[in-house]
């Protein structure tokens, strides 16, 4: 996990926001596919939600630090 957070902290805020939108879209689509059929990897939704949380954490840290 630390390597993931370190990687996210090295990236620019604009890139993180773009990835955040992509991950949220994936979560949305995965939830609908799981409702209609059996998902191939049931842990994928959990992994995606945690990645979204990590990105939001880094963005919030920067907001509080004044880096915008």
């Amino acid at each position: 996990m630390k390597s993931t957070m370190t990687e996210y902290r090295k990236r620019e805020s604009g890139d993180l926001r773009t990835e955040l939108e992509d991950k949220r879209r994936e979560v949305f689509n995965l939830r609908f596919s799981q409702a209609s059929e059996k998902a191939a990897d049931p842990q994928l939704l959990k992994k995606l939600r945690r990645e979204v949380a990590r990105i939001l954490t880094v963005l919030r840290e920067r907001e509080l630090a004044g880096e915008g």
Side-chain angles (χ1 to χ4, degrees), residues 43-60:
Q43 294 299 313
L44 184 59
L45 181 61
K46 181 179 178 179
K47 292 175 187 176
L48 286 172
R49 289 178 58 210
R50 287 187 177 188
E51 285 184 34
V52 167
R54 287 182 185 119
I55 293 170
L56 288 172
T57 300
V58 172
L59 290 173
R60 180 66 177 155

Side-chain angles (χ1 to χ4, degrees), residues 8 11-13 17 21 24-25 37 51 53 55 57 59 61 67:
Y8 284 143
R11 295 175 61 186
E12 293 189 21
S13 296
R17 286 187 183 97
E21 290 176 24
R24 283 183 169 169
R25 191 172 300 118
E37 60 188 49
E51 285 184 34
I55 293 170
T57 300
L59 290 173
E61 286 174 350
E67 296 177 17

Side-chain angles (χ1 to χ4, degrees), residues 19-36:
E19 186 169 345
L20 178 63
E21 290 176 24
D22 293 340
K23 298 287 182 189
R24 283 183 169 169
R25 191 172 300 118
E26 284 183 58
V27 168
F28 180 79
N29 291 333
L30 187 61
R31 287 179 65 201
F32 273 99
S33 67
Q34 282 184 339
S36 62

